[in-house]
């Protein structure tokens, strides 16, 4: 029996997880990545002798990654050293407007009370309770679903769960829902950042994204050696099971023959035969033909007006003063 050949385009986190899981199942996996290292947005920038996280700066949903490593016959702790963070995030608006959020909800409540008053502290507790309910409603019915969809969500919930589904507030924007919880515009701005985690805007994203608050309360960790170590660990896990990585290799075209996947052509002109292709790429790039004309219809077109910039990061090596930083200071 011929081993199925899979080419994965893009060594971002999704591509790396796919590589590890497919290789562990015995498939012949090749990952092509135009950058020189794995990670995608989870990248590291070197300035002189310093290495800085230029994408995500903390690690959440640890249990999900533990499951990925376990499915490949390994342990997350064998690859990464994680340290739980006591301070989740540090915020500043001016010389006096400073607010830290903590792993302990009680400490965060007290800090918000000192910052914005007892009313806002009470509303913060209501907000965290609501975010917990939303997460628990969606965790198995949608977030962990292999093919999440609204019909599937409704089937999983059943008629008894319709009340809980109504509570996820999918038709209100995150910004509007935050206004129901917080009167202080600084707090509304602070928690509106959750939309940017998935490249969206709080003015357009659904209120459902309040669940990110619960994700952070479930645990935030820092990674010894920097966040890029997560990508390196996943690449090592996949390679342990035989996956091949081709860095500095940009995919130019996904080829079809008789309506079926046939291979991937690289920018260099080299062709990699494939029985399946996993695209860990921006779907807008597919729909505008960046990977050839044969797969344009695989995804719906993405109008430019529906796209948003999730973040602009500056990487600096400098002496700081005034507002104390927790990392890279």
């Amino acid at each position: 029996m011929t081993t199925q050949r899979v080419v994965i385009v893009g060594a971002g986190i999704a591509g790396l997880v796919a590589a590890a899981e497919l290789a562990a199942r015995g498939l012949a996996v090749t990952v092509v990545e135009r950058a020189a290292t794995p990670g995608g947005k989870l990248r590291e920038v070197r300035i002189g002798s310093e290495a800085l996280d230029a994408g995500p700066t903390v690690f959440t949903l640890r249990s999900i990654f533990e499951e990925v490593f376990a499915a490949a016959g390994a342990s997350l702790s064998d690859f990464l050293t994680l340290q739980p963070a006591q301070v989740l995030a540090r915020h500043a608006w001016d010389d006096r407007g400073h607010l830290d959020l903590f792993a302990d909800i009680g400490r965060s409540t007290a800090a918000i009370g000192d910052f914005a008053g007892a009313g806002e502290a009470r509303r913060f507790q209501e907000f965290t309770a609501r975010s917990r309910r939303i997460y628990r409603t969606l965790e198995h019915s949608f977030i962990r679903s292999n093919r999440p969809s609204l019909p599937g969500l409704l089937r999983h919930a059943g008629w008894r769960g319709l009340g809980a589904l109504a509570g996820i507030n999918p038709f209100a924007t995150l910004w509007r829902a935050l206004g129901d919880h917080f009167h202080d515009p600084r707090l509304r701005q602070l928690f509106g950042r959750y939309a940017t985690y998935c490249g969206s805007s709080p003015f357009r994203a659904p209120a459902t994204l309040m669940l990110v608050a619960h994700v952070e309360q479930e645990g935030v960790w820092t990674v010894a050696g920097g966040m890029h170590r997560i990508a390196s660990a996943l690449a090592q896990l996949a390679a342990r099971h035989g996956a091949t990585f081709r860095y500095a290799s940009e995919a130019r075209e996904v080829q079809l023959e008789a309506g079926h996947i046939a291979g991937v052509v690289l920018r260099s002109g080299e062709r990699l035969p494939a029985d399946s292709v996993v695209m860990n790429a921006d779907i807008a790039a597919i729909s505008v033909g960046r990977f050839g004309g044969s797969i344009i219809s695989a995804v719906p077109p993405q109008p430019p007006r529906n796209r948003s910039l999730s973040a602009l990061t500056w990487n600096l090596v400098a002496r700081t003063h005034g507002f104390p930083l927790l990392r890279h200071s």
Side-chain angles (χ1 to χ4, degrees), residues 83-264:
Q83 180 67 34
Q86 300 306 315
V87 179
L88 302 184
R90 174 157 285 182
H91 312 87
W93 287 264
D94 52 40
D95 290 343
R96 298 174 301 282
H98 296 176
L99 175 64
D100 287 351
L101 294 182
F102 301 91
D104 179 81
I105 292 179
R107 290 185 68 188
S108 292
T109 301
I112 289 176
D114 293 339
F115 177 74
E120 294 291 67
R122 183 184 69 255
R123 286 185 283 272
F124 169 72
Q125 290 181 312
E126 296 168 353
F127 168 75
T128 56
R130 186 179 179 187
S131 70
R132 185 185 312 114
R133 290 193 299 271
I134 294 174
Y135 184 84
R136 289 177 176 172
T137 298
L138 296 176
E139 180 181 10
H140 296 287
S141 61
F142 196 84
I143 296 173
R144 287 176 172 265
S145 173
N146 286 331
R147 293 181 178 271
S149 66
L150 179 57
L153 177 60
L154 294 172
R155 285 195 302 271
H156 186 279
W159 69 270
R160 294 180 183 274
L162 292 180
L165 287 181
I168 69 175
N169 213 2
F171 302 112
T173 65
L174 177 61
W175 189 254
R176 177 182 172 185
L178 291 173
D180 295 337
H181 285 284
F182 300 108
H183 297 174
D184 190 312
R186 296 171 299 179
L187 295 178
R188 195 175 180 187
Q189 178 191 38
L190 187 163
F191 292 107
R193 78 181 193 276
Y194 292 148
T196 68
Y197 289 9
C198 60
S200 190
S201 161
F203 305 111
R204 299 177 66 95
T208 309
L209 285 180
M210 287 191 293
L211 63 82
V212 178
H214 179 68
V215 170
E216 290 187 342
Q217 290 296 337
E218 287 285 278
V220 171
W221 288 265
T222 58
V223 181
M227 290 289 288
H228 190 259
R229 286 288 307 139
I230 300 170
S232 298
L234 286 167
Q236 291 171 31
L237 180 65
R240 176 183 290 186
H241 289 282
T244 299
F245 286 82
R246 301 280 300 272
Y247 298 115
S249 300
E250 183 176 355
R252 186 185 71 195
E253 180 185 1
V254 177
Q255 291 185 327
L256 301 183
E257 291 181 2
H260 297 282
I261 291 292
V264 173

Side-chain angles (χ1 to χ4, degrees), residues 43-54 223 225-229 315-317 327-329:
R43 66 194 184 99
E44 181 180 80
V45 171
R46 290 192 170 271
I47 302 177
S49 61
E50 302 293 333
L52 307 180
D53 292 327
V223 181
M227 290 289 288
H228 190 259
R229 286 288 307 139
N315 297 280
L316 305 172
V317 175
R327 301 183 64 201
H328 301 322
S329 57

Side-chain angles (χ1 to χ4, degrees), residues 66-83:
E66 288 176 335
E67 292 172 13
V68 170
F69 278 79
S75 172
L76 179 68
S77 60
D78 290 339
F79 288 79
L80 297 174
T81 300
L82 305 176
Q83 180 67 34

